[in-house]
Every structure is written in C-alpha cells, then in structure tokens.
Amino acid sequence: MPQSRSSPPDAEAAPTVWFVSRHPGSVEWARRRGIAVSRQVAHLDPSEVREGDTVIGTLPLHLAAEVCRRGARLLHLAIDLPPEARGIELDADALERLGARLVPARVELGLGGPE
C-alpha cells in the first residue's frame, strides 16, 4: 500500500486568531463578544503570524503592515477616546460606552513618501 504524503504540521493547522492587548478590559471586552481567540498576547512577534491568521488589536503601523504583508487578516480595535480618557485603564464597560469596535484594515507602508 503506497504511503500518503503528509503536509508539514503548520500547513494543516487551523489559522490562529491573535488578540493583541496588554489591557484586561480589552480582553474582557472580546470575551463578552464571543470572539474566539486562539492566542492572547501583550506584544506581537509578527514572525509568528502566518498567512490566513487573524490579528485583532491596536497595533503600531509598522507591525500592522507586517501582519498584512504576511497575508493575515487585520482587525483594528478602534476606540474613540476623549482626551480625559487617555492614559487610564479602561474596563470592558467603559469600552462599550466609548463604542469600541473591530474595523477590518489593510496597511501598507512606503507608498511614495519620504523613506
């Protein structure tokens, strides 16, 4: 009986849903929404992101661009913060009141501006 060829382990693994946040309120907000998270990390190492993954969070532009370059889906956690709410830890209820939401995004850097 011929042996079947198997793919490398990563090739068959289900895509990872990353939630990138160091804030407990954001993690709780996602949990309340029933967002199925595979890996919750405080800081993202983009070299671990694979094509087909989903990355959720509020990332610096250079990391967001690398996530997109790698073929992952990026969902930006958008929060319209008034000046008085900056720099304070927000819980899930506060994020609700501020209209936190996930916004699909595609980021590409170096589009003709200064290098």
Side-chain angles (χ1 to χ4, degrees), residues 11-109:
E12 293 181 15
T16 300
V17 177
W18 299 83
F19 191 84
V20 184
S21 181
R22 60 184 176 82
H23 302 286
S26 297
V27 174
E28 174 62 15
W29 177 87
R31 189 197 63 74
R32 288 182 185 180
R33 291 204 151 30
I35 297 169
V37 173
S38 310
R39 290 192 61 190
Q40 191 276 315
V41 295
H43 301 282
L44 182 68
D45 177 353
S47 70
E48 295 185 46
V49 175
R50 304 285 177 244
E51 185 174 353
D53 285 358
T54 298
V55 177
I56 303 168
T58 303
L59 301 178
L61 284 176
H62 69 289
L63 293 181
E66 181 61 16
V67 163
C68 293
R69 189 191 70 73
R70 291 176 160 274
R73 179 178 185 215
L74 177 63
L75 297 175
H76 173 69
L77 176 54
I79 307 164
D80 298 321
L81 281 178
E84 62 274 9
R86 295 190 186 281
I88 57 174
E89 194 65 36
L90 302 172
D91 63 17
D93 293 332
L95 293 171
E96 285 287 334
R97 286 191 302 278
L98 291 168
R101 63 209 175 276
L102 297 180
V103 179
R106 179 100 187 124
V107 179
E108 187 174 350
L109 297 181

